[in-house]
Amino acid sequence: MTTSQARFTDPALPLQERVEDLLSRMTLDEKLAQLGCLWSTALVAGDAFDADFVAARMPHGIGQITRIGASTGLRPAESAALMNAIQRVAIERTRLGIPIFVHEESVGGFCHRDATVFPQGIGLGATWNPALIEEVAGIIREQMLAVGARLGLAPVLDVARDPRWGRVEETYGEDPVLAGVLGTAYVRGLQTSDLRNGVAATGKHFLAYAMSEGGRNWNPVQMGPRELREVYAEPFAAAIRDAGMAAVMNSYASVDGLPCAGSAAILTDLLRGELGFQGAVVADYWSIPQLLRFHRVAADPGEAARLALSAGLDAELPATDFYGAPLKEEVESGRLALEVVDTSVRRMLQMKFQLGLFEQPYVDADAASIPFQTPRSRAIGRRAAAESTILLSNDGILPLAPDLQRVAVIGPGADDRRLLQGDYHYPAHLESIYAETQEQSGDTILGTGDALVPHAGGAYAPGPHFTPHITPLAGLRAALGDGIEVRYARGCEVLGADRSGFAVAVEAARAAEVAIVVVAGKSGLHRPVTVGEGNDATSLELTGVQTELVEALAVTGTPLVVVVLSGRVHALERIAVHANALVQLFPPGEEGGNGLADVLTGAVSPSGRLPVTLPRSVGQVPAHYNYRAGGRVPMFFNDYVDSVPTPLFPFGHGLGYASFGYEQLAVRGTTTREPVEVAVVVRNLGSRAGDEVVQLYFRDEVASTARPDRMLIGFARVALEPGQARTVTFTVHPSRLAFYDPRMRFVTEPGAFWFGVGASSADIRTSQTITLTGEVAAYRQREIVATLGAVV
């Protein structure tokens, strides 16, 4: 039977039958190729695409192509054409014609030239709005599909509780339920209900990557099995069970001495056995070589490859190094059974069939630019930026008075489009390629003299290609109109000790009725930056002399609205005392200035809520709201010798321009096998419309293990006109109350349960305790039923 007659080409056959038919026809070289990857830029000879050159690079086909968008400066039509050209080689010039797929970064937007730059992950987390995040992911999907990218390396589901770690900005914050709900929404928006119409989502980084020693990137994690599951595995479990997440990426770190990339206990027993994951596990870049070079659990490339594949790591990214010749030698020598290879090949082929690549391998390059930079995508970006804006404090200066005549806009973040970007936004992420110096080339971690990313020239070369970015200054000028004088002064830089701009800034503030001061961080990979992957910190203070700038402006007596525009979770106590209003804005993307202006002027009522706890100082780290019993305050005196133990601002905190009352709480529940219903009436007590984020917390009063004092289990956004009241009803399945008992059974025990509803983890407005009777109820984490919230 020829390939053209092969059963795997028949779309009418069941998926598994197609997979097995194709697998039965493959040689060992062809199988290993499907577990490998090639850089898109490594397929460009100089500054030109040569099909013969590409065919020689992948004679047996290839599983994936690494990052056309996040490695080049190609615009959508050109990017789609390159994908088609590579695809054509794979289909027409290999024996079996197995299509490739391209994977790309997509944390806060598709990392591709001209793609919409949405708020960074932590900013999306600050919206507490799963419906909005699903919309954002839908735009990302449309843009990725247009250029033929079918695997998105997002969402980041790490639970982040150490703000020293540079990648906190990519996460949805510190809480497993919040991260799970928002991550699930992202996966639904990216994948849709049918992967043939979607992009496969990749949850990363499995597991507990964010809790490394000292907040240092890639460093070991020391954690018990209960915490590992209840906190750090839960967002992944949610996205798997509630959205069918198609792929998972491993963490670089080791957990209790087990490097995740080579641990069957983590990637097979826990991920697949306990959480029920059925998709493909892809390697974080270079994590398989690090089993040899970094963790030192393998003696040579072949052993590292064998260890990783046996653990359940199905595909090597970003290039085929250890899953090529070294892995082949392991199989041919008998050290690795061919069945282990076949298992991973099945998973990769299954994804390709699910994506419909055998039927529709190409895209329409002429139409590729259509979904990029549309009015709709920019409008959603603006709404996301506004909803991510968190009003931390306000003495009444906000919203800005409509009769203002003179406004000063001051600070290094006020008019710098680069500071609107996170480390995985385009073009900030590509600075490590196009920046003049290449400090990262030839480092000892990678063990190679090559640059991190193979460079391509000519039209393929990346550069600082920004979409139109609206800075806070531009957004405020547009919102305030020509009738209001707006004076701008940078004041200082994000980094450095130069105070020469203070005098002009002070003069601008003194002449104004209000000063909007935008202090900032700079996210990225390529230094100098203040935060981002590989850019961890020992201090949480604002960098440079920005705090001094705020202090100098405070002396003028002009009211200050201080906006903290940074991917770092900062300790803000020094500037909070000088701010008439304090605003937290994580990297908001291209519409950040408009979204911020909408909130400051009152066109939009602020509704962002903290997805993290803001500590008073780095000495409180880790600072999060849901400590286990006994962890809230130190004994004997309930404080530090130099500080109170409470944070500056708690998880879930955020103010609006309206005040809300909570009334008529009713909690109904009977047994450990039946749902609990929590209903509360929320009323707008103010004179302005606004959105309240109603948060439901619970506590197991007496349990067989030490459980958290307070845990988020549900939330709902409620839009209310002045004086309007609506009823919010949460349905809590008892599996949502379950935990791992001393015997590591996942159970809900009978007894007393406290339920509290409020505006933040520290602002509980009403609460009630009920008793659930019955026997100890056994559940499985893979079967937790998400809390449903209804607003009527």
Side-chain angles (χ1 to χ4, degrees), residues 747-788:
V747 300
T748 299
E749 297 175 340
F753 290 82
W754 171 92
F755 291 88
V757 182
S760 81
S761 60
D763 185 9
I764 301 300
R765 304 294 180 84
T766 180
S767 65
Q768 184 178 333
T769 300
I770 64 169
T771 298
L772 299 182
T773 61
E775 298 181 350
V776 173
Y779 296 101
R780 295 194 296 178
Q781 189 173 5
R782 64 194 289 178
E783 296 170 347
I784 289 175
V785 177
T787 299
L788 300 177

Side-chain angles (χ1 to χ4, degrees), residues 163-164 538-541 569-574 613-623 640 642-648:
R164 297 173 298 178
T538 61
S539 172
L540 301 183
E541 299 296 324
V569 175
H570 289 287
L572 303 175
E573 197 163 30
R574 283 184 62 189
T613 297
L614 295 192
R616 296 178 186 275
S617 71
V618 72
Q620 290 182 312
V621 171
Y640 295 99
D642 57 354
S643 174
V644 298
T646 55
L648 186 63

Side-chain angles (χ1 to χ4, degrees), residues 655-707:
L655 305 177
Y657 295 149
S659 58
F660 299 90
Y662 290 69
E663 311 164 359
Q664 304 175 39
L665 175 68
V667 183
R668 300 179 182 89
T670 55
T671 76
T672 56
R673 287 292 186 184
E674 297 172 306
V676 175
E677 184 178 277
V678 180
V680 66
V681 175
V682 182
R683 187 181 305 277
N684 186 341
L685 304 176
S687 59
R688 301 175 63 98
D691 285 10
E692 176 74 326
V693 179
V694 180
Q695 302 167 38
L696 173 64
Y697 296 85
F698 94 103
R699 177 173 61 247
D700 190 341
E701 296 286 21
V702 178
S704 57
T705 68
R707 304 214 60 207

Side-chain angles (χ1 to χ4, degrees), residues 8 15 53 70 112 117 134 140 195 206 239 264 268 315 326 384 394 410 417 456 615-616 628 633 635 637 787 791:
F8 74 83
L15 176 114
F53 176 76
H112 191 292
V117 183
E134 189 167 344
I140 295 171
L195 270 180
F206 201 79
T268 297
N394 183 23
I410 297 169
R417 61 182 181 174
R616 296 178 186 275
R628 290 188 183 269
V633 295
M635 295 298 170
F637 303 106
T787 299
V791 181

Side-chain angles (χ1 to χ4, degrees), residues 229-506:
R229 286 162 173 78
E230 291 180 357
V231 177
Y232 296 92
E234 177 51 28
F236 293 88
I240 292 166
R241 66 180 177 244
D242 296 334
M245 185 166 63
V248 165
M249 176 179 280
N250 68 284
S251 162
Y252 286 116
S254 63
V255 178
D256 192 27
L258 298 177
C260 293
S263 172
I266 293 171
L267 297 184
T268 297
D269 299 345
L270 175 53
L271 178 61
R272 297 188 185 277
E274 295 184 38
L275 302 188
F277 179 65
Q278 297 181 355
V281 178
V282 300
D284 205 345
Y285 286 14
W286 303 289
S287 59
I288 298 173
Q290 299 332 310
L291 296 174
L292 169 66
R293 298 166 181 156
F294 187 69
H295 295 290
R296 305 199 313 276
V297 295
D300 55 57
E303 185 178 6
R306 171 164 46 90
L307 185 63
L309 195 71
S310 299
L313 191 53
D314 299 311
E316 181 178 11
L317 274 60
T320 307
D321 295 318
F322 285 29
Y323 275 13
L327 188 58
K328 183 178 182 180
E329 171 61 23
E330 294 297 305
V331 176
E332 292 181 335
S333 69
R335 291 187 292 271
L336 179 68
L338 181 61
E339 289 77 10
V340 177
V341 174
D342 287 349
T343 295
S344 289
V345 175
R346 280 189 185 94
R347 292 169 183 155
M348 300 311 298
L349 294 178
Q350 176 176 292
M351 182 182 293
K352 291 187 175 185
F353 280 116
Q354 289 173 324
L355 290 167
L357 289 171
F358 286 83
E359 288 70 54
Q360 292 185 310
Y362 303 110
V363 296
D364 183 352
D366 292 337
S369 63
I370 291 175
F372 288 77
Q373 290 300 307
T374 66
R376 172 172 163 261
S377 67
R378 293 200 69 98
I380 293 175
R382 181 171 184 162
R383 181 156 61 93
E387 290 194 17
S388 74
T389 302
I390 307 167
L391 182 58
L392 298 175
S393 65
N394 183 23
D395 69 359
I397 191 68
L398 292 179
L400 296 173
D403 58 350
L404 284 173
Q405 298 299 309
R406 300 179 308 281
V407 174
V409 182
I410 297 169
D415 196 35
D416 189 334
R417 61 182 181 174
R418 173 61 180 79
L419 302 184
L420 300 174
Q421 297 207 325
D423 66 346
Y424 272 73
H425 283 139
Y426 192 100
H429 190 73
L430 280 78
E431 286 174 343
S432 57
I433 306 176
Y434 67 74
E436 290 183 1
T437 56
Q438 295 289 332
E439 292 95 340
Q440 296 178 7
S441 297
D443 66 78
T444 57
I445 297 300
L446 296 183
T448 173
D450 297 329
L452 284 175
V453 181
H455 296 183
Y460 297 94
H465 303 302
F466 285 85
T467 59
H469 277 46
I470 310 301
T471 66
L473 176 64
L476 283 163
R477 278 182 167 154
L480 294 173
D482 295 335
I484 297 177
E485 178 188 351
V486 178
R487 295 183 61 180
Y488 163 66
R490 190 171 181 87
C492 66
E493 300 299 325
V494 170
L495 290 163
D498 186 359
R499 299 170 179 82
S500 61
F502 277 25
V504 174
V506 167

Side-chain angles (χ1 to χ4, degrees), residues 218-234:
W218 290 26
N219 271 213
V221 173
Q222 310 301 342
M223 187 177 297
R226 186 168 290 100
E227 185 87 350
L228 190 71
R229 286 162 173 78
E230 291 180 357
V231 177
Y232 296 92
E234 177 51 28

Side-chain angles (χ1 to χ4, degrees), residues 4 156 175 218 235 295 416 427 521 589 624 626 639 686 715-716 750 789-790:
S4 61
V156 176
D175 183 80
W218 290 26
H295 295 290
D416 189 334
H624 54 91
N626 49 354
D639 60 8
F715 58 93

